[in-house]
Structure formats: C-alpha cells, structure tokens
Amino acid sequence: MRPFLLTSLCLLGFLGLFGQNPLVASDSLSQVAWVDSQYEQMTLEQKIGQLFMVNVASDQSSKAIDTIKKLIKEQEIGGLIFSKGGPLRQAELCNEFQSISKIPLLIGMDAEWGLAMRLDSTYAFPWNMTLGAIQNNEIVEKVGYRIGEHAKRLGVHINFAPDIDINTNPLNPIIGNRSFGENREVVAEKGIAFMKGMESAGVLSSGKHFPGHGDTAVDSHHDLPIIPFSRERLDSLELYPFKRLIKEGLSSVMVAHLEVPAMELKEGLPSSLSEQIISGILKEEMGFEGLVFTDALNMQGASKYGDKGEVELAAFIAGNDMLLMPKNVVDAKEKLLKAYNRGKISEGRLALSVKKILMAKYKVGLHKYEPIDKENLYKDLNSLEDDLIYEEAIESAITVVKNNFDLLGIKNLQNKKIAYVKFGDAPSDAFIEELNKYAAVTQVNGSDIANLKSKLYEYNLIIIGHHKSNDSPWKAYEFSKTELSWLQEIANLRTSNLILCVFTKPYTLSNIQTFKSIDAVVMSYQNSDLAQRKTAELLFGAIPALGKLPVTAHSEFPVGTGIELSSLQRLGYSKPERVGLSTQKLNDIDRLMQNGLDSLMFPGAQVLVARKGKVVYEKSFGKPIYSSDSDVRGDDLYDLASLTKILATLPMLMKMEEEGKIALNDTFEELVPGYSNTEIKNVTVLKALSHYGRLPAWIAFYVSTLDKDRKPSKEFYRSTALPGFSTKVAENLFLADAYKDSIYDRIGRQDLKSNRYRYSDVPYYVMKKYIEDTYGEPLDKLTQDFLYNRLGANFTTYNPLDKFPKNKIIPSEEDKYYRYQTVHGYVHDMGAAMQGGVGGHAGLFSNANDVAKIMQMYLQEGYYGGVQFFDSRTVQKFNKCYFCDKKVRRGVGFDKPQLENSGPTCGCVSRKSFGHSGFTGTYTWADPDEEIVYVFLSNRTYPSASNTLLVKSALRTRIQQAIYDAILN
C-alpha cells in the first residue's frame, strides 16, 4: 500500500469512529475489513466510477435503459437515483442493474413525502408543511419510519430527505410545502424526528438543500438563486437545522446550487462547486463527517458553469463525495482521471470519498446484497400501518386559526341550517359526505354572486371549502379573483356565521384582505380525502384541534397560531387498529353477512361497529328487496321496530324522571287515571319497563278491525283521508280517529298474567300516552326536538315519507293479512300503524350511523356533542337490573345480557352492557367496559315476517362474537 493511502481504519478514526459518525455500522471492524477489501481490489477507473450517481426512471424507453446498463458495465458507477415510474418496474430494473454491477449500487430516491413523490401505485404521506403543524414530534418520527420502510422494501438505500430548508419566503417556487416551516426550531425538531424515524428503518437520510434554499424566489432548476444575507443571519437561521441534524447523526447532506456571497467570494460560483462552503464551512466548521452529495448537476443552477465534465470536476474538488445526476458520465470521468494523473486530485482525497461511499454501502447492507422480493410488493407499499400513521398525522396537523363566538366545534345543531359553498377546482366530495354524517348540510351553488347570496339567505351557518389539487406541493393554491370577491360578499351576509376551511398551503390566506366578517378559519393543508373527512370531524367536535401554523399565513395569523379545541365526544371515523381492534378479524363480519344473504335470511342490511368513540366498521350489504337493481346504502332507512323503545320512548322517560314528572315507583293508575278500576292499576313503571309487570306480550288490535273476509272493515277504514278518518295506517288506508281510545280501553281490560318475566309491548302504549299528555305534544315531535335534532341524528324519524324519498326507505314486508300491500315507508308493527305510525314501542326509522350516535350518548352516560342530555346517575339507574334475583335480566327499558346460557348476546359482553333487538331484524348493543357500540339493521321480514332464519341462526350475536374476537391483546 502506498504510504499516502488512507486505510479504512485511519479513515474511520479521522471521521470519528469513536464518536457519532453517521456512516459507521454497529459492527465497525467488519465494516473496515469489507471497505478495505473492496477498495484494494479497485482500479483507479473503478474508484472514480464510484463517485457518480446517475438518474434513471422505470418509465424510460428500452434505449435509455440500455444506456444505463452500459454505464454500469463500462463506467462502473457507484449508484443510481430512481425517478418516475412504478414500483414493480423499478424493482425489476433495480434487480437487473445490481446483477450486472461488480460492486453493489447505492440506490437513491427523492421521496420526501414517500415513494409517491416519484412512483405511481405507492403511498403519499403528508407534505413537510403539514408535518410542521403537528405538535407531537413522535408522529413525525413515525412518518419518517414508514417512508424508510417503503424505501427499504423497494431496495432504496438513501432517501434524499428530509428537506430542512426554512421557508421564510412565501413566494418560494420550489420549496414551499416541502419545508417544515419558517421557524428554525420547528424545522430542526421536525427534521430530527423525521431523520431518526427513517434511519431506524435502515435507510440513510440526507439533509437538504445546504446551506439553505428557503428564502429565495428563484428555482435553481432554471437559474442560480442568490442568497444575499449576512454570515450572521445565515449562521443563526439557514444553517441552524443543519447544525442540529448533524449533531444528531445526519447521514448525508445535499448541497444546493445557490450563490451565497457571504460564504463564497467568487461571484456567480454555485455553493455546490464552492470549496469554501463545502470543505471549509460544512466539513471543517460544522464538523460534518457523512456523505456530501451535490444537488442534481443537470440543473441550470450548476450546469451552465461548464460542460464536458468541468462541473463534475469542480464539484469533487470542492469537497462533494457523490456527484448526483451528472450531465455526461464519460466526459466527467475523463476529467477526473486527468486531474488525478496531474496531481490535482490526491489519492488521499479520492480515498476519502470512495471509502465513505463504501462505508455507506456496508451500513445499508450491500455487503450482503439480496435482490428485491417482488411478491406482495404493492401490498407492502400500501399497508394498513401506513393508513394509521397518515390518519394520525392529518388529525394532529389540522389547525384552527380563528374561532369567534366558540363557533367550533359546532353545537346546538337544532338551531343550525347549514350551507356548504365550494371554492377551488379540486374534488370536495369527501368533505360534503362527511359533513352530512353530523348534520344536514346542503351544497349551494350560484351562477353569479347575486344568485348565490339569494340562496344563502335562508341559512344561518355557511361553510366555505377552498379545495386545490393534492397531486403535488407545487400545484396552484391561491383563490381566484372571483372567489376573493365572493368570499367578502358572503362574509358580509350578517344573517349567518361563516366558516372558511382551506385545503391547501397556508399562504393562500395572505390574499384575503380582512377576516373581520369570517367567524372561523380552519387550515387543513392538503385536499386528500382523509384531510377533508377529518376536517369535517373537527368542525363538529369529533376530534380535537391540535395543530399550529408552521408559517405566517397572514398578518392576523403569524407562525405558531393555533387554537386548541377539545373533542365534543361526537362519533368519529377511523381504522379498527386505532381503537384496539383487528381489521382482519372484523372482516369475519363480511363472511357472516354473506352467509346471511346466501341463506336468504334477509335481502339486505347495515352493520356498524364503533369503539372508543370511533366508527371503525360501517358497511351495507345486499339489496333493499331481492329483486332490486340498486344496493343498500349507508343512508338508507330501516324500520327499527322495538329499538324504538330505547331510542325514542326511553329517552323521554329518563328526561321526565330527572324533571320529577315520573318516578319508577309510579303506578299505571297514577299515569292514566282511567285505569283506577282496572287490574293493571298497580303495575309500576319499574316493573312494566323491566318486563316484570305481568302484562300480556302484545295485543293484536288490528284483528278486531277486519271484516269477515279478514280485510280492513269499512266500519273502521277509508281509502282517503276524511273527517274522522285521518289516521294513516298505510298507502290509501285511513283508520277512524276514534279508535285511538279503543286501544287504551282494551289495554285497561287486560288481566294480569302469572308472576314471571314476560316481554311486553303494552307498557310502551301507556308510556306514550303519559308522555304526550304531560307535554301536550306528540311523541314524534318531542323526540325530534329533545334528542334527534340536537344529536344530529338527521336520518332518525317517525313516518319517514314525510321527510325522505321512498327510494331511501327499505321495504319491510308484503303484508297479506292486514294492509294487503307492500309495507314501504310505513311502520311494520300493526299497533304502531294504528297510532298513525307513532308508537312508543315501534315506528322509528333510522340508519345504522344514527342509531350508533344515540347508543354512544348512552355509553358516555348522557353526554354527546357538547350536550349533557342526562345526568350520568340517570343512565345508571335505567341501566340496572332490578329483578336479577327473580331471573329477570332486563334493565329499565334496556335489554341486558343473559343470566344463564342463552339470551340476547354472544355471552361475551360485560354485565354493564345494554341494548335491544327488533322484530324486523334489527339489533343494537353497547358495552361500557369495552367501549363498543354495535348496530345491525335488516329487513328480515321481507317478503314475509314468517321468515325466522335470522333469529334461528343467531347471526346477530355471532357477529357480536366476531367483534369481541377482534379485540387485540
């Protein structure tokens, strides 16, 4: 060995083997041996070849690919940087390239927000600007880790990330959203977190663009930007993140093409070619010992400095180790060879860079290279883990920058009439769809501002969403002139409050002159479907507001602005794993439901599972009826049957109990004085609602109104509404109004049964009468005003045809014994139908999502959406089994788990759990211990109520078992 040649051991010592050198592997002695062995075997040409990292794209032509192969074979280049294409094509090419390279290639990519920055069919994580809004750096580290995992899976060894430029110039055309923000501490802390996450996945990091590209309005791809600041300013701001990350073990630095007069005296010399900046400042002053990469040398900021290898030679002499994307490898290599032979490049200088490159190759595992496994590649690059961290990141980033009148989260839904107006040219479907899960929100359009304003006058809350392309950070983001004008016009409508939601970079707010009449402003940073959905959740208080602006968006909203808001404990929507459930195991529900459909248990159904306040499974199955062309949708309404008891009547009774208007020991005689001389007079509310009141199971009131042919008698019915016949039972069937009294008279004539548990609908007729008599309002109006409107249960109603089109309501039965028609939009239960569709025991229609809201309110002991509907003690009082010692499992209105082997549940729920089932094939259950809400809605009674396959199969409780089996750990 020549005496001036640096051995790897000397090199490692020089680089701080016993310190924090980022290129040193844990098995450093083995690394030394491998590096020495490789270096000793190299010719001079091979050593110089290692300095080049050449650009390649998997979507290139075969001719271009052949050129790369030739460079690998003949020039023996050190690495490749992959650009656009697809993951499978890239994997195949990478394997092929590695197979023909004598020394394994170092593979790099620009994948700042994930492989999707370059490749189709891969995962796009949040942009740095979005991550900059997150206050918990552990989340940023998780994002870095997942990006590292993806890179490693695709055979990428170094990701040119994180971008640690401080974006202090809003007009910066090339950085912007790629920056963590304008605050040096935020950029440094986020950069460190991202770097650590990625490095822990086994992928080398690269801080860029040294010495700082954040404060320029020029794109170095097209020209040479000037950074005109003093050295003091550069040291305190631009260089600060680099210093911090170097101290924490940054693997490499990418040097930008910038003119920095305070650091380089030679006018017009790019920083990427400056020995003073790279060797003097980066290496000597800042002590950086990792790899130094040029930015792409084919960019105009550098390439115009010279041709035929002159730029590459200058870059190497300046102190760069790897020359990224050279214009011409052959010319550049020839220049470097000549410089070496002339003594302009010493062996020591060459060895320093080449051995650092070899050290990096060892550290990423290239000393034991294995080809990329192509099996399950797409799945591995688009995993559930990615969805989970993406969701957590987006939730944590969304920022409330203004919130006058505590408008957010939106409360008092019963007083809100909400309009949504779309700005921007990107999709907004996910936003409006999610908004409507919380309240009735109408999208309003106008041909001109006058037309739009005339439509908006009838609304008292307006939400404007500014939606711009989410394809890349460089897409247009500003409001149009028309939109800015319309925004002020709408803001001046003093009949309403205005919320502005911005789904693009924060700088879009800078063009708004005044926010005086805009009551709330929410910055969502990106327009992905999830960002839209999470913004809707935040508006209604399903998730808290946690983010802070990473940059100054407007003079009114400086960097760091962010109003923290607590959750109002409305249901949110998430993935099972975020609440401790297994997606894979919950998919057993799909199999069970398909079995139900195949076995003709029902035509269609909705199933919902929520845990810890998050809906994590919500699917529709089958069709409204077997012959339907359409499928069941999530916003279709089902007849809830006996779920009405706990979702309509029981809430009113709980309210009355708190108000002192009813007590559990009140008797029927006290509720209905007309029962004073009846056998049922001493039945108490407690016993009746616990189904221990000795009342009959049900009374077939309708039978006595049929004629001898068992058809509706003309004595009681008319085909059109007439005076005295206004109680609509079904289509073209109106019952005599006087029959209402007959129902209560007949109840009063009932004999008490044996003293044992007997499920009964009868108490709910009595409760309905008492509720209506007490408040002087019908039960449907009372429940709507007290509960559904305030809860945002907009799909929950009696007599759904009054509010919804018929095609949104699921048919219940082909009635061949009473109404002789398809029961569609009318309550299936005969007794409730004879009460005009409003029964205390039946009559309610809803979808699974709304049922879950009410059950979640119970689960939260009376609290939901910022409203304490009941005192927690009231919920506990009604959810108590008072007669368990009598083998009566029921609570007060609520069904409870079985006391012995068989019953209404899977047997896997807690004793605190509660719920109910319905005759039409409905079921809901809530478990406070596991914080689980389960809803099953079907029309098993279609076409005939005699179909009991659903009941016999125990499908509903088998699904419940599947839910509990899905609990992790």
Side-chain angles (χ1 to χ4, degrees), residues 393-524:
I394 292 295
E395 277 188 9
S396 302
I398 301 172
T399 306
V400 174
V401 298
K402 186 176 183 181
N403 187 31
N404 279 2
F405 320 117
D406 291 323
L407 187 57
L408 305 176
I410 301 169
K411 297 177 281 290
N412 301 318
L413 299 182
Q414 71 276 14
N415 300 326
K416 301 291 191 297
K417 188 169 184 184
I418 307 174
Y420 162 71
V421 178
K422 180 191 173 184
F423 282 5
D425 51 10
S428 60
D429 296 347
F431 188 47
I432 187 68
E433 181 181 293
E434 201 77 2
L435 289 172
N436 274 285
K437 289 183 178 179
Y438 294 98
V441 178
T442 304
Q443 183 163 348
V444 179
N445 304 309
S447 55
D448 54 53
I449 186 58
N451 176 257
L452 181 60
K453 285 169 63 176
S454 68
K455 294 177 181 178
L456 291 175
Y457 276 120
E458 62 181 281
Y459 297 91
N460 58 19
L461 177 59
I462 300 168
I463 300 170
I464 293 178
H466 181 52
H467 301 267
K468 300 298 288 185
S469 175
N470 200 59
D471 290 346
S472 83
W474 302 289
K475 291 284 187 176
Y477 63 91
E478 295 179 325
F479 291 101
S480 68
K481 290 183 179 180
T482 298
E483 287 170 341
L484 287 171
S485 173
W486 285 24
L487 176 61
Q488 294 304 327
E489 292 269 3
I490 295 169
N492 290 330
L493 286 172
R494 297 324 301 158
T495 56
S496 60
N497 291 116
L498 177 60
I499 300 170
L500 174 64
C501 299
V502 177
F503 297 94
T504 184
K505 67 174 67 173
Y507 298 126
T508 194
L509 296 180
S510 63
N511 292 323
I512 299 174
Q513 290 185 353
T514 176
F515 289 86
K516 183 178 180 181
S517 298
I518 301 174
D519 301 305
V521 180
V522 178
M523 178 55 58
S524 301

Side-chain angles (χ1 to χ4, degrees), residues 646 650 654 858 878-879 890-896 914-916:
I646 65 168
L650 199 62
M654 294 167 77
Y858 285 139
F878 279 74
N879 184 31
R890 300 270 177 168
V892 184
F894 294 113
D895 201 357
K896 299 284 289 176
F914 56 91
H916 217 283

Side-chain angles (χ1 to χ4, degrees), residues 389-686:
I389 184 56
Y390 183 82
E391 181 179 316
E392 188 177 5
I394 292 295
E395 277 188 9
S396 302
I398 301 172
T399 306
V400 174
V401 298
K402 186 176 183 181
N403 187 31
N404 279 2
F405 320 117
D406 291 323
L407 187 57
L408 305 176
I410 301 169
K411 297 177 281 290
N412 301 318
L413 299 182
Q414 71 276 14
N415 300 326
K416 301 291 191 297
K417 188 169 184 184
I418 307 174
Y420 162 71
V421 178
K422 180 191 173 184
F423 282 5
D425 51 10
S428 60
D429 296 347
F431 188 47
I432 187 68
E433 181 181 293
E434 201 77 2
L435 289 172
N436 274 285
K437 289 183 178 179
Y438 294 98
V441 178
T442 304
Q443 183 163 348
V444 179
N445 304 309
S447 55
D448 54 53
I449 186 58
N451 176 257
L452 181 60
K453 285 169 63 176
S454 68
K455 294 177 181 178
L456 291 175
Y457 276 120
E458 62 181 281
Y459 297 91
N460 58 19
L461 177 59
I462 300 168
I463 300 170
I464 293 178
H466 181 52
H467 301 267
K468 300 298 288 185
S469 175
N470 200 59
D471 290 346
S472 83
W474 302 289
K475 291 284 187 176
Y477 63 91
E478 295 179 325
F479 291 101
S480 68
K481 290 183 179 180
T482 298
E483 287 170 341
L484 287 171
S485 173
W486 285 24
L487 176 61
Q488 294 304 327
E489 292 269 3
I490 295 169
N492 290 330
L493 286 172
R494 297 324 301 158
T495 56
S496 60
N497 291 116
L498 177 60
I499 300 170
L500 174 64
C501 299
V502 177
F503 297 94
T504 184
K505 67 174 67 173
Y507 298 126
T508 194
L509 296 180
S510 63
N511 292 323
I512 299 174
Q513 290 185 353
T514 176
F515 289 86
K516 183 178 180 181
S517 298
I518 301 174
D519 301 305
V521 180
V522 178
M523 178 55 58
S524 301
Y525 302 98
Q526 299 190 225
N527 195 52
S528 65
D529 280 1
L530 190 75
Q532 293 181 47
R533 293 187 186 281
K534 289 300 173 182
T535 301
E537 290 185 33
L538 183 145
L539 292 185
F540 285 97
I543 58 174
L546 302 171
K548 294 187 184 299
L549 285 178
V551 295
T552 296
H554 189 277
S555 58
E556 293 187 36
F557 308 127
V559 61
T561 299
I563 301 168
E564 295 187 9
L565 300 177
S566 299
S567 166
L568 297 179
Q569 291 183 249
R570 284 198 177 99
L571 279 175
Y573 301 84
S574 189
K575 300 283 183 183
E577 280 71 12
R578 286 200 74 193
V579 294
L581 292 172
S582 163
T583 296
Q584 183 179 359
K585 290 187 176 181
L586 281 183
N587 286 338
D588 285 348
I589 298 173
D590 295 27
R591 176 182 55 80
L592 290 166
M593 289 301 295
Q594 190 58 52
N595 178 255
L597 292 170
D598 293 343
S599 302
L600 303 181
M601 295 180 193
F602 43 77
Q606 296 171 352
V607 180
L608 181 148
V609 180
R611 193 179 194 211
K612 300 182 186 296
K614 303 285 187 183
V615 175
V616 296
Y617 183 101
E618 185 181 13
K619 293 185 181 180
S620 300
F621 299 88
K623 299 179 180 297
I625 61 174
Y626 291 110
S627 60
S628 295
D629 293 329
S630 60
D631 296 327
V632 175
R633 290 170 47 90
D635 56 358
D636 288 338
L637 276 65
Y638 278 89
D639 182 337
L640 300 183
S642 285
L643 299 194
T644 303
K645 294 181 174 74
I646 65 168
L647 302 181
T649 306
L650 199 62
M652 293 307 304
L653 292 174
M654 294 167 77
K655 176 177 183 288
M656 295 176 78
E657 200 270 347
E658 287 191 349
E659 294 172 348
K661 292 181 169 65
I662 196 170
L664 296 185
N665 60 358
D666 283 349
T667 64
F668 276 16
E669 179 181 20
E670 292 173 292
L671 301 184
V672 183
Y675 290 158
S676 58
N677 295 317
T678 68
E679 192 171 328
I680 67 170
K681 67 179 182 180
N682 291 321
V683 175
T684 64
V685 172
L686 176 62

Side-chain angles (χ1 to χ4, degrees), residues 678-746:
T678 68
E679 192 171 328
I680 67 170
K681 67 179 182 180
N682 291 321
V683 175
T684 64
V685 172
L686 176 62
K687 286 189 173 183
L689 296 184
S690 300
H691 300 280
Y692 193 55
R694 302 169 60 195
L695 297 165
W698 77 299
I699 302 171
F701 298 107
Y702 77 99
V703 173
S704 63
T705 68
L706 304 180
D707 61 22
K708 59 184 179 60
D709 295 322
R710 299 189 64 81
K711 299 287 180 69
S713 169
K714 293 181 180 179
E715 177 185 354
F716 295 103
Y717 296 95
R718 298 291 184 270
S719 60
T720 58
L722 296 170
F725 291 85
S726 64
T727 303
K728 195 171 188 179
V729 172
E731 201 69 37
N732 302 319
L733 192 63
F734 295 84
L735 176 65
D737 298 336
Y739 195 80
K740 177 181 178 182
D741 293 335
S742 300
I743 290 174
Y744 291 105
D745 289 344
R746 188 166 174 183

Side-chain angles (χ1 to χ4, degrees), residues 923-959:
Y923 183 90
T924 187
W925 209 268
D927 188 342
D929 280 3
E930 292 294 347
E931 298 180 75
I932 288 175
V933 169
Y934 162 43
V935 184
F936 179 104
L937 305 182
S938 78
N939 56 335
R940 69 98 192 160
T941 51
Y942 190 91
S944 171
S946 63
N947 177 11
T948 58
L949 291 173
L950 175 65
V951 179
K952 291 177 180 177
S953 71
L955 179 68
R956 291 173 289 187
T957 53
R958 284 160 59 204
I959 290 173

